[in-house]
Amino acid sequence: MSLGTFLSAPEQQGSIADTTLWIVTVAGLVLLLAIDIFLTRRPHEVHMREAVGWSVFYLLLPVAFGFYLWAAFGGTASVEFFTGYVVEKSLSVDNLFVFMLLLTAFAVPAALAQRVLLYGIVGALVLRVIFIALGAAALQSGTWAFLLFGLVLVLTAAKVLREALKGDEQHVDIDSMRSVRLLRRFIPVTGDYRGFRLIVREQGKLAITPLALATVAVFATDIVFAVDSVPAVYGVTEDPFLVFATNAFALLGLRALYFVLQDVLAKLRHLNFGLAVILAFIGVKLVLHWAHGVWTWVPEIPTLASLGVIIAVLVTVTLTSLRAERRDRAASEPPDRRPAERSADH
C-alpha cells in the first residue's frame, strides 16, 4: 500500500478521517515538531518547571482531541482513541526507560539529552507510519492478520514477563549493538561531543561524534518498540487514522516527560509485569476478534472494557512499585533511626 493510497482512500479502510482531516492532523504534528526543534536549538539543561509545563500541555492536547472526536464522530471513536492512547503511553514509558539507559551508557551531556530524545521521537514517528500502513494493508488482505497480531503480542508478553521474573536490572550493552558496531567499523568516531553536530571533519577526513552513535542506538530501539506498539493499538481499533493519532500523541510529549520522570522511572520496578499483562490481554482480544469472524458464537471484548482493564493494571503496578520502593527504603535505614522517626511522626 502506497502512502498516497493510505491517505486518500480512508473509506476503503473503514476510517473516520477524510483527506482533509489527515492533512490537518499531519500539519499540526509537523508544527509541534518544528516548535520542539526550535526550543532545543541551543544546548541547555531542562529544568523541572519547563518539563512539567510541556508535559501538562502534551497531556491536555490528546484530551482535547478525544473530545473533538466525541463531538464529531461519536463516542465509539473517542473511546477507541483514549484506549489506544493509554496503551501507547504506557508502552512509551518503557521506551523512555530504555532511552534513559542509552543516554547514560553514551554519557550524553545533560544539555544535549533533549536533542537525542527529539531525534528518537522523530524516528519513532516515521517507523510508526510505515508499520501502520503495513498493518492496514495486512488487515485489508484478510482476517488472518488479527490472528497474527494477536500471536505476536502474546509472544512479546511472554518475553517481557520472563525478563521481569528474572529480577535482573535492565541494562544496555552498546558494544553489542550491531548498528553501533557497524558504524564504528567503517567511520572514525571523535573522542568527545561537539555540540549538536553529528558529523565533523578532522584532519581532512569525515568522522562522526558520539552524539551520532547515541542517535543511531535510539533509532535502533525505536524499531523494536514499533513492532510491539502498532499491533497493540490495532487490537483496540482498526481505524488507521486513530492508530496514527494515538501513536503521535503518545510520542509527542516524551521529550518533556523524560525529564519529569527521570528519577521516577527506575522506581517503577513492576512496570514490565503490567506491560506483559496488557500486551497479553490485547493479544487475546485480537485472537478472539479473529475467532468471532470465523465462529460467531465466540465472544469479543468491548473496547470500553479494555480501557478499564488497562487502567486498572497500570494503577495496580504503579501502587505496588511505590509500596515496594518504600519498603526497601525503610529496610535499608539503620535500626536506631526507625524508632526516632516513628516517634517524630506521632
Side-chain angles (χ1 to χ4, degrees), residues 287-305:
V287 173
L288 289 176
H289 181 69
W290 165 80
H292 181 77
V294 180
W295 305 287
T296 54
W297 54 268
V298 176
E300 291 191 275
I301 301 175
T303 303
L304 193 59

Side-chain angles (χ1 to χ4, degrees), residues 251-319:
L251 290 170
L252 276 176
L254 281 190
R255 180 183 64 82
L257 191 62
Y258 171 85
F259 296 100
V260 175
L261 299 181
Q262 193 170 8
D263 295 330
V264 180
L265 288 174
K267 298 178 181 178
L268 296 177
R269 60 179 69 183
H270 298 159
L271 177 62
N272 279 349
F273 289 99
L275 293 180
V277 172
I278 290 172
L279 290 173
F281 172 77
I282 298 176
V284 171
K285 182 178 186 295
L286 279 169
V287 173
L288 289 176
H289 181 69
W290 165 80
H292 181 77
V294 180
W295 305 287
T296 54
W297 54 268
V298 176
E300 291 191 275
I301 301 175
T303 303
L304 193 59
S306 300
L307 178 60
V309 170
I310 292 165
I311 292 177
V313 170
L314 291 175
V315 170
T316 299
V317 297
T318 300
L319 293 176

Side-chain angles (χ1 to χ4, degrees), residues 128-148:
R128 295 297 202 280
V129 170
I130 295 172
F131 277 86
I132 290 168
L134 292 174
L139 292 177
Q140 280 189 317
S141 67
T143 57
W144 60 268
F146 290 111
L147 178 61
L148 176 63

Side-chain angles (χ1 to χ4, degrees), residues 21 35-36 41 65 81 128 141 153 156-157 162 165 211 219 254 257 283:
L21 184 55
I35 293 173
D36 258 357
R41 71 192 186 281
F65 188 77
F81 169 77
R128 295 297 202 280
S141 67
L153 291 179
T156 302
R162 187 168 60 249
L165 289 173
L211 187 68
F219 189 78
L254 281 190
L257 191 62

